[in-house]
Amino acid sequence: MNGLSQIGDQTEAERLATGFVFTEGPLWHSDGFYYFVDVRTSKFYRIRPGGAAELLRENTGEGNGTTFDPQGRLILCEGGNRRLTRWPADGKFASSEVLIDRFEGKRLSRPNDVLCRSDGSIYFTNPGLRVPLADRELDPSAVYRVNPDGAISHVADFEYPNGLAFSPDERTLYVANTRFAMYIHAIELDGAGNVVRRRIFADMSSDEPEGVPDGMKVDVEGRVYCTGPGGTWVFAPSGEKLGIIKTPEVPANLCFGGSDMKTIFFTARTSVYSLRVKVPGLPGHPYRK
């Protein structure tokens, strides 16, 4: 693990399932399983450690990033449908509601990743570069926030905003910029979630041929884990690069899970993998069952 001895001793990730096209949207449920999506085939899965992947939904509209709100409802970025949907906490996925599909009357571009603050605010990325210019209504790409009362606000503009994560105190919002400058940005927030200032947290430029800054999570000690060129990059809270976690396939996203939150679950192209670590991770949402 490239000198990441403080993170974990296990060096080989375990492949839990394979045969997919492009896995994404990993999310741990406290009932003992992970959700994930296959973006390219618009399918939504559940997998329990030691079991086979179960197909729960088809036709997700190129579903991508996922999170839970404080009530345990699943929020899904439907990139192809250009919207975020919210699903009941019963796990049946029989119905949904559109959480947001427009900002100030203009259609969203291609929502990619999403997370929920402990106050119930939903933050999501809305990159536009993969939407044809003639169909693009919101430009430039940006991060947006949906408040618990339904009010929608613009947070910050980016070239291509992708993964999102909060620091343990939720006063820093990390945003992975996928193209063309491969940086993680840090947006400092006040107690109400408003932007105070922004800065570059880490440079992820690399000569590696595969992978871009993408999904992110943070552990309880404030380290930032971001999938990127060649594997999952790990940074100290200061922004110092600690190393890269290598997996058989370069992951696009990850989440922490397990009863002790010491398992990293990777969504990596055609497969999903797990790796045990020493330090628990933050779930990336406030839901606790």
Side-chain angles (χ1 to χ4, degrees):
M1 293 177 65
N2 297 338
L4 296 175
S5 58
Q6 69 268 50
I7 304 299
D9 297 322
Q10 185 180 345
T11 58
E12 295 294 331
E14 177 186 359
R15 188 170 71 178
L16 303 181
T18 192
F20 309 102
V21 181
F22 195 96
T23 57
E24 250 283 8
L27 184 64
W28 168 254
H29 193 290
S30 56
D31 280 349
F33 56 82
Y34 298 94
Y35 288 130
F36 69 97
V37 304
D38 191 337
V39 178
R40 302 288 188 260
T41 62
S42 290
K43 293 181 178 179
F44 185 84
Y45 292 91
R46 173 175 62 200
I47 188 168
R48 297 179 184 274
E54 307 169 65
L55 177 62
L56 300 181
R57 270 194 66 223
E58 297 188 78
N59 304 313
T60 65
E62 297 177 53
N64 199 331
T66 60
T67 194
F68 289 122
D69 68 9
Q71 291 76 43
R73 296 172 295 186
L74 184 132
I75 311 296
L76 175 66
C77 290
E78 298 185 2
N81 290 335
R82 301 174 69 170
R83 66 187 187 182
L84 274 71
T85 51
R86 181 163 56 197
W87 299 78
D90 58 14
K92 297 179 180 179
F93 301 102
S95 64
S96 69
E97 60 179 319
V98 176
L99 178 65
I100 177 175
D101 61 359
R102 282 172 168 76
F103 175 69
E104 296 182 343
K106 297 179 179 179
R107 194 178 181 193
L108 299 182
S109 297
R110 193 176 179 86
N112 186 297
D113 203 5
V114 59
L115 82 167
C116 186
R117 204 165 183 247
S118 59
D119 65 359
S121 299
I122 303 292
Y123 290 75
F124 69 95
T125 53
N126 186 54
L129 293 181
R130 291 180 59 198
V131 176
L133 188 59
D135 298 330
R136 202 180 305 163
E137 299 181 26
L138 283 171
D139 210 22
S141 302
V143 175
Y144 295 92
R145 177 177 66 177
V146 183
N147 288 336
D149 63 4
I152 305 164
S153 58
H154 169 274
V155 177
D157 291 332
F158 287 86
E159 288 176 306
Y160 196 111
N162 200 324
L164 293 169
F166 278 123
S167 60
D169 64 1
E170 297 188 332
R171 298 301 288 268
T172 302
L173 173 65
Y174 297 106
V175 184
N177 192 75
T178 295
R179 311 176 181 86
F180 295 93
M182 294 189 181
Y183 293 111
I184 298 176
H185 295 246
I187 298 178
E188 297 179 19
L189 307 172
D190 62 19
N194 301 308
V195 177
V196 175
R197 64 171 182 162
R198 63 186 290 181
R199 56 186 168 85
I200 297 296
F201 172 73
D203 183 352
M204 292 186 66
S205 302
S206 173
D207 293 330
E208 287 280 353
E210 186 177 3
V212 294
D214 203 332
M216 279 192 295
K217 291 296 182 292
V218 175
D219 69 22
V220 297
E221 296 177 357
R223 297 182 191 87
V224 176
Y225 300 66
C226 185
T227 59
T232 300
W233 295 40
V234 184
F235 300 93
S238 64
E240 175 192 1
K241 181 183 175 183
L242 301 177
I244 299 177
I245 300 172
K246 297 287 189 177
T247 43
E249 298 174 79
V250 175
N253 210 336
L254 75 156
C255 72
F256 284 90
S259 59
D260 57 4
M261 295 299 287
K262 291 182 180 180
T263 298
I264 301 180
F265 177 78
F266 300 96
T267 50
R269 305 306 194 260
T270 68
S271 308
V272 291
Y273 297 86
S274 68
L275 182 73
R276 290 289 293 170
V277 292
K278 295 178 180 177
V279 181
L282 299 172
H285 59 78
Y287 176 54
R288 298 287 190 281
K289 188 171 181 181

